[in-house]
């Protein structure tokens, strides 16, 4: 039984923990979620032993602890998926890594103190959505990588789903048509839909 530590959000998981829930569901492994109160994540002496920067997600697999969503995605795909969803390994890791640009823009947006910081964060978020749009426009598979659905799609969908439109300050996905098409396809996967259930 694998354990996914996450924050107790009203909608179940935060975006970074949701990436892991999606992949665990895709792989069909036996796992459970463990919600850690935000205060414990931030202050408890036990939690810092799990993650030195006091963040979720953290995955426990027997004696093994893996931190940081990118490392956990790679670990699960390799160790529990025998390489499934990480077929084009370095491209997959590169696109998981590029997604951090978007999450960092969203975080800057949440913490922006004035109009100019807000405008800069929105422009950064749109820059990263533009990278995803262009990549999807030229994809042979309809997923981020030509090789098909991978941990890259899982990392991005957690930050680009319909519910996060408000956080991205987007009226609609119209200006990112390939993202909109891809999003529908990814959200329709049973393993993905399950990670959005409370
Ligand atoms: N680089 C980390 C980022 C994780 C992250 O920022 N997690 C947020 C929730 S989505 C968190 O743990 N916040 C702790 C807090 O709010 O105190 C990853 O990819 O796992």
């Amino acid at each position: 039984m694998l354990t996914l530590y996450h924050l107790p959000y009203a909608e179940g998981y935060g975006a970074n923990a949701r990436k892991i829930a999606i992949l665990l569901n895709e792989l069909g492994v036996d796992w459970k979620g463990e919600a850690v109160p935000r205060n414990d994540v931030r202050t408890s002496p036990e939690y810092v032993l799990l993650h030195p920067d006091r963040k979720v997600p953290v995955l426990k697999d027997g004696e093994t602890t893996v931190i940081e969503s990118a490392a956990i995605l790679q670990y699960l795909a390799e160790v529990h998926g025998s390489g499934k969803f990480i077929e084009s390994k370095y491209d997959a890791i590169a696109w998981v890594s590029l997604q951090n640009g978007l999450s960092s823009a969203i975080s800057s947006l949440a913490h922006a103190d004035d109009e100019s910081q807000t405008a800069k964060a929105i422009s950064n978020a749109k820059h990263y959505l533009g990278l995803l749009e262009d990549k999807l426009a030229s994809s042979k598979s309809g997923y981020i990588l030509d090789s098909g659905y991978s941990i890259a799609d899982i990392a991005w969908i957690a930050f680009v789903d319909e519910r996060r439109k408000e956080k991205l300050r987007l009226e609609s996905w119209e200006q990112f048509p390939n993202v909109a098409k891809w999003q529908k396809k990814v959200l329709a996967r049973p393993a993905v839909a399950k990670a959005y259930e409370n």
Side-chain angles (χ1 to χ4, degrees):
M1 166 81 73
L2 283 78
T3 306
L4 167 64
Y5 294 90
H6 62 91
L7 284 168
Y9 284 98
E11 68 270 26
Y13 306 102
N16 284 300
R18 181 167 289 112
K19 297 172 187 170
I20 312 307
I22 292 173
L23 184 53
L24 287 162
N25 292 341
E26 294 282 8
L27 294 172
V29 292
D30 194 18
W31 71 279
K32 67 177 167 69
E34 178 109 9
V36 187
R38 196 182 287 270
N39 195 45
D40 287 1
V41 168
R42 291 190 176 169
T43 62
S44 100
E46 289 83 33
Y47 197 81
V48 79
L49 301 176
L50 274 182
H51 194 307
D53 198 26
R54 294 188 171 281
K55 299 278 192 242
V56 297
V58 169
L59 182 83
K60 280 275 253 183
D61 180 9
E63 294 300 303
T64 306
T65 302
V66 192
I67 64 168
E68 291 292 295
S69 60
I72 302 171
L73 290 174
Q74 185 177 349
Y75 171 82
L76 284 173
E78 290 185 340
V79 174
H80 288 273
S82 309
K84 199 171 177 201
F85 308 127
I86 193 165
E87 284 86 358
S88 306
K89 182 169 173 176
Y90 298 108
D91 282 342
I93 292 171
W95 278 89
V96 167
S97 174
L98 277 169
Q99 180 276 310
N100 290 328
L102 180 64
S103 43
S104 146
I106 293 172
S107 162
S108 306
L109 195 49
H111 296 108
D113 289 328
D114 57 36
E115 277 306 306
S116 102
Q117 285 181 9
T118 302
K120 189 161 182 247
I122 291 175
S123 149
N124 264 338
K126 289 193 171 158
H127 166 75
Y128 283 98
L129 287 173
L131 294 189
L132 180 62
E133 173 66 20
D134 292 348
K135 180 72 174 155
L136 288 167
S138 65
S139 163
K140 293 192 180 92
S141 68
Y143 292 108
I144 295 175
L145 305 182
D146 288 344
S147 53
Y149 182 68
S150 73
I151 59 170
D153 299 286
I154 294 174
W156 280 85
I157 196 63
F159 279 90
V160 186
D161 68 73
E162 194 52 29
R163 289 161 225 220
R164 298 187 68 84
K165 206 163 66 183
E166 206 180 306
K167 291 211 162 140
L168 289 161
R169 312 270 174 104
L170 283 182
E171 297 268 305
S172 80
W173 294 104
E174 233 169 68
Q175 52 184 310
F176 304 107
N178 286 288
V179 172
K181 208 161 89 189
W182 160 86
Q183 187 191 80
K184 280 204 184 79
K185 196 161 64 162
V186 177
L187 290 173
R189 294 178 70 91
V192 178
K194 201 167 160 208
Y196 284 85
E197 288 165 9
N198 273 327

